[in-house]
């Protein structure tokens, strides 16, 4: 089991959960502290309480981010080494790469949607000619940014885990150990033009020692 893939899955699924929480939250923007002192209450707004053009764009981006995060999680499970589905190691490597790309796209969609919404809030807040109710950034925006960052990190790690999955084994060679004296004698014994081993005790008779 690859540690890279486990960490990527944790980042990706964690980011997906954060995106779901941010999308369904009603705290995308909150009234300013100055107005809350006067009214003694804070007003929250989310993506589903307004039909403004920029809000519809943010809504579409967040829905796309959640959908991509869901499919990215499914692909990640199929691309994990520890699962029995997904085919061979090469097929799993391709699925893991696809999961990484999907997670990155999910994070980019969420980052774009949250940034677009935040830009609209800050523009209205610092505009001296804007006389309507002014709002501040809500907690859901920070959750969306955090979830987007986690998805992007998890996707990048999944893409890097391909090298771990697709490593081919090195070509090995057989090592038979050092050649023994007996094996060399057997190899060269009896061949045509080869050396023959003889017993040295038979080369000398008794007269040689007198």
């Amino acid at each position: 089991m690859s540690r890279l893939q486990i960490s990527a899955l944790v980042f990706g699924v964690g980011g997906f959960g954060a995106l779901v929480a941010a999308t369904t939250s009603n705290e995308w923007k909150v009234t300013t502290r100055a107005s809350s002192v006067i009214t003694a209450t804070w007003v929250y707004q989310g993506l589903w309480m307004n039909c403004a053009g920029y809000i519809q764009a943010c809504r579409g981006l967040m829905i796309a981010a959640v959908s991509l995060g869901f499919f990215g999680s499914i692909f990640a499970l199929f691309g994990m080494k520890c699962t029995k589905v997904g085919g061979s190691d090469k097929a799993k490597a391709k699925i893991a790469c696809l999961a990484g790309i999907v997670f990155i796209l999910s994070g980019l969609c969420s980052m774009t949607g949250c940034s677009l919404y935040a830009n609209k809030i800050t523009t209205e807040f610092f505009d001296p000619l804007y006389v309507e109710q002014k709002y501040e950034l809500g907690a859901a925006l920070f959750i969306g940014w955090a979830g987007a960052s986690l998805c992007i990190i998890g996707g990048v790690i999944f893409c890097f885990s391909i090298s771990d999955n697709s490593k081919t084994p090195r070509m090995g060679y057989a090592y038979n150990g050092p050649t023994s004296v007996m094996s060399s004698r057997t190899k060269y014994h009896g061949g045509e033009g080869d050396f023959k081993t003889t017993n040295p005790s038979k080369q000398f008779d008794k007269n040689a020692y007198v």
Side-chain angles (χ1 to χ4, degrees), residues 48-153:
W48 314 102
M49 297 180 179
N50 202 316
C51 293
Y54 81 97
I55 292 182
Q56 290 182 355
C58 297
R59 189 184 301 168
L61 287 169
M62 293 306 296
I63 291 175
V66 171
S67 301
L68 289 170
F70 173 77
F71 287 110
S73 301
I74 299 298
F75 292 147
L77 291 176
F78 281 100
M80 296 285 288
K81 281 185 175 181
C82 56
T83 57
K84 296 183 179 180
V85 292
S88 62
D89 288 342
K90 290 186 177 180
K92 282 181 174 291
K94 293 179 180 179
I95 296 174
C97 180
L98 178 61
I101 295 173
V102 172
F103 272 131
I104 292 174
L105 291 177
S106 175
L108 291 177
C109 287
S110 176
M111 191 75 71
T112 304
C114 292
S115 299
L116 181 63
Y117 198 97
N119 179 67
K120 183 65 176 180
I121 295 174
T122 54
T123 301
E124 293 176 352
F125 185 84
F126 292 106
D127 186 4
L129 301 178
Y130 187 79
V131 295
E132 296 183 15
Q133 176 66 60
K134 294 186 177 182
Y135 291 88
E136 295 178 352
L137 303 181
L141 286 172
F142 299 100
I143 296 175
W145 281 321
S149 301
L150 290 176
C151 284
I152 293 173
I153 293 172

Side-chain angles (χ1 to χ4, degrees), residues 36-51:
S36 66
V37 173
I38 298 173
T39 60
T41 184
W42 283 2
V43 178
Y44 298 94
Q45 285 192 16
L47 290 176
W48 314 102
M49 297 180 179
N50 202 316
C51 293

